[in-house]
Amino acid sequence: MDDPLGPEVEGWLDRVDWLREHSGDAALLAERLTVAPSVLLETYAEPGAEGWTEVGSAVARRDGPRWRHEVDGPAAALLAGCQGVLPLNELLELLSFAHDRPTDELVTATLPAVREFVRHGVLVPAEEQAR
């Protein structure tokens, strides 16, 4: 494709194929993921009587179609941990301990978002990042 989104379309198709290969929860949980280099964590705040009050955060890509996802504290912490070192299951175990939540509950709540992050190029398999 010659248009500016050509590489993004190819990358998206590659990511969808990767997700198909890792469609089971166990396969995805065993993977090491990393945040793409073009991703930023944005925080936003509202003015108040005593200054600014943080009201939310989002991760956003600075390239391609500029996907953007709202994130809460635990999601931001998970993304910060995605440095390609630990598999996703170990990161979720650490996160469940840090936030005093059952690991199974956290896994169930998190995997759909992780799949969207991969689909949108916010998270990439660690071996992809190494290339």
Side-chain angles (χ1 to χ4, degrees), residues 7-130:
E8 178 61 29
V9 170
E10 184 178 338
W12 184 83
L13 291 170
D14 290 344
R15 292 188 301 269
V16 168
D17 283 345
W18 187 89
L19 284 168
R20 281 188 189 122
E21 292 169 9
H22 298 82
S23 61
D25 291 352
L28 184 57
L29 288 166
E31 286 298 317
R32 293 176 304 111
L33 301 170
T34 187
V35 175
S38 68
V39 173
L40 294 174
L41 174 67
E42 304 171 337
T43 57
Y44 35 96
E46 295 176 337
E50 297 187 28
W52 293 96
T53 301
E54 190 173 312
V55 294
S57 333
V59 288
R61 282 185 47 190
R62 294 177 288 168
D63 61 355
R66 304 195 188 278
W67 295 106
R68 186 173 187 278
H69 294 269
E70 300 287 323
V71 293
D72 59 8
L78 175 66
L79 289 169
C82 287
Q83 298 178 13
V85 177
L86 295 175
L88 186 58
N89 63 338
E90 290 183 29
L91 289 172
L92 288 170
E93 286 176 19
L94 291 170
L95 197 60
S96 73
F97 179 77
H99 291 273
D100 195 28
R101 292 180 65 185
T103 304
D104 292 345
E105 175 186 303
L106 196 58
V107 166
T108 300
T110 303
L111 288 184
V114 167
R115 287 183 173 97
E116 281 302 299
F117 290 150
V118 171
R119 186 174 291 110
H120 290 159
V122 172
L123 284 175
V124 294
E127 69 270 5
E128 292 277 323
Q129 190 65 28

